[in-house]
Amino acid sequence: ATALGGALGLALTANAAFAQCDAGEMTIRFAHVTAERGHPKGEAALLLQQRVNDELDGRACMEVYPSSSLFNDDDVLPAMLRGEVEMAAPSLSKFGAYTESLQLFDLPFLFEDILAVEEFQNSEAGQALKESMLDEGFLGLAFWHNGMKQFSANRPLIEPTDANGLRFRIQPSAVINAQMEAIGGTGIAMPFSAVYDALNSGEVDGQENTWSNIYTQSFHTVQDGVTESNHGIIDYLVVTSEDWWAGLEPDLRDELAQILLEVTHERNRFAFELGELNKIRVRQDGVRIRTLDEETRALWIAALSPVWTQFEDAIGRDLIAAAEAAEG
Ligand code: LMR
């Protein structure tokens, strides 16, 4: 794996040692749910931890808890408001209880690729979304990339009708639920940490996720194959409690914000390559990857278009138009 990463020029963070904070240092707990290594979010969190602990040593210290070891995504946001964790990076599909506008990112076939996602996130409308949950006590600090979503199931998925009657694990998103219903399936929301077992036991038939999530959780090993549908995205909002952030000593807050900005630039550049690398690893495990020709892709787009109509008022037509304008 390391050799493959090296071949693609992926500079992964060298030292993953869990940071033990010293007495007197302010502790910043960062909880997330994915793998620590070989994954865009895991690697970005490690780099953030390394830089905070090198550059703010003596004043602040970061402890990263990967793989749902502190909280899963259902628990982490309420826990943040209770002061039990300072930072997290849930996928944009997990904020539905707090804002409808982030549901934008779940609309199927909205973005052509991750570059278009990035262009939109950097626009005025995209940046404003980071402040869409201030009333709820949350401040978004940065968008982190993962990649485009692919479908998988325990039988071949080529045309949308192949999904008829299947149960798909979904993230807790009304838009994604509607997406599964639009192709005749049922969405079953469950935490990321439960997905492998649910696929393996047959509790659900399929799922949708990125190459990096599929490979690092071994979802492909308990599925018939993966359909390279690129029908949506998984991206993250690095989020904190607005109260906690406002309470930081201003110089420290500025330095932390600068480190986060630099880590975001550096790691986001590699998310796509890491996804491609994880796709190669899935293929190397002998798993069938099915691609869609243009005609078949058009069938998926048509089948999922009613989801847009269903949610455009809640999300906002102007916001959707701004996202559509991003070409990458
Ligand atoms: C999922 O639940 O499938 C993803 O949001 C996990 C993640 O953080 O990428």
Side-chain angles (χ1 to χ4, degrees), residues 29-325:
R29 290 160 293 187
F30 187 127
H32 72 86
V33 300
T34 65
E36 181 174 41
R37 290 305 197 144
H39 186 281
K41 181 160 60 179
E43 296 283 350
L46 278 183
L47 182 61
L48 184 64
Q49 171 180 271
Q50 189 181 67
R51 288 207 41 194
V52 166
N53 293 347
D54 285 351
E55 294 166 41
L56 303 179
D57 190 27
R59 294 189 287 155
C61 164
M62 181 169 282
E63 290 174 350
V64 174
Y65 295 86
S67 305
S68 311
S69 55
L70 189 59
F71 293 109
N72 71 31
D73 281 340
D74 290 342
D75 308 329
V76 75
L77 294 170
M80 189 172 277
L81 295 180
R82 292 194 305 268
E84 293 167 11
V85 58
E86 285 70 37
M87 283 193 192
S91 101
L92 294 166
S93 313
K94 293 183 175 160
F95 292 94
Y98 304 100
T99 177
E100 284 181 318
S101 47
L102 288 177
Q103 296 192 335
L104 169 80
F105 291 97
D106 289 335
L107 288 177
F109 295 107
L110 173 59
F111 295 104
E112 192 58 35
D113 54 28
I114 209 74
L115 290 175
V117 176
E118 172 143 337
E119 182 181 319
F120 169 70
Q121 288 170 346
N122 288 337
S123 72
E124 207 178 307
Q127 288 295 303
L129 290 176
K130 295 198 295 195
E131 301 192 355
S132 59
M133 295 176 289
L134 287 180
D135 286 353
E136 305 285 343
F138 298 111
L139 173 66
L141 296 173
F143 291 109
W144 280 2
H145 296 330
N146 183 332
M148 306 298 285
K149 289 188 290 192
Q150 322 301 339
F151 278 113
S152 72
N154 53 12
R155 63 158 111 134
L157 289 179
I158 299 154
E159 299 192 354
T161 46
D162 296 330
N164 213 355
L166 299 189
R167 288 160 305 162
F168 289 93
R169 176 271 171 170
I170 57 167
Q171 304 180 80
S173 154
V175 177
I176 299 176
N177 191 49
Q179 170 195 282
M180 295 313 186
E181 285 177 357
I183 51 176
T186 309
I188 298 177
M190 64 178 72
F192 191 54
S193 53
V195 182
Y196 176 87
D197 285 346
L199 292 170
N200 194 29
S201 69
E203 183 186 346
V204 292
D205 302 298
Q207 61 89 44
E208 50 156 30
N209 232 305
T210 65
W211 291 115
S212 290
N213 281 358
I214 290 169
Y215 181 75
T216 55
Q217 300 296 316
S218 304
F219 295 159
H220 59 295
T221 64
V222 286
Q223 295 280 265
D224 169 82
V226 182
T227 302
E228 190 167 30
S229 47
N230 289 320
H231 63 281
I233 61 150
I234 286 189
D235 246 35
Y236 305 111
L237 185 66
V238 180
V239 69
T240 191
S241 142
E242 210 233 334
D243 276 352
W244 177 80
W245 186 252
L248 291 178
E249 191 263 309
D251 284 348
L252 182 67
R253 186 170 59 227
D254 288 351
E255 285 173 72
L256 188 55
Q258 184 60 28
I259 291 172
L260 180 59
L261 188 72
E262 290 170 18
V263 167
T264 299
H265 277 300
E266 185 172 338
R267 294 309 335 163
N268 273 356
R269 281 174 31 224
F270 288 112
F272 176 75
E273 282 87 346
L274 204 44
E276 290 296 294
L277 171 62
N278 284 319
K279 176 171 138 188
I280 292 169
R281 289 167 170 162
V282 166
R283 186 175 280 128
Q284 280 177 344
D285 281 351
V287 171
R288 182 89 178 262
I289 296 177
R290 300 185 173 88
T291 52
L292 303 177
D293 60 28
E294 228 167 277
E295 214 173 298
T296 316
R297 191 173 155 82
L299 293 178
W300 285 91
I301 294 173
L304 295 178
S305 69
V307 179
W308 284 49
T309 324
Q310 206 176 324
F311 288 92
E312 64 192 359
D313 287 341
I315 294 169
R317 282 163 210 251
D318 291 351
L319 194 61
I320 296 175
E324 280 187 287

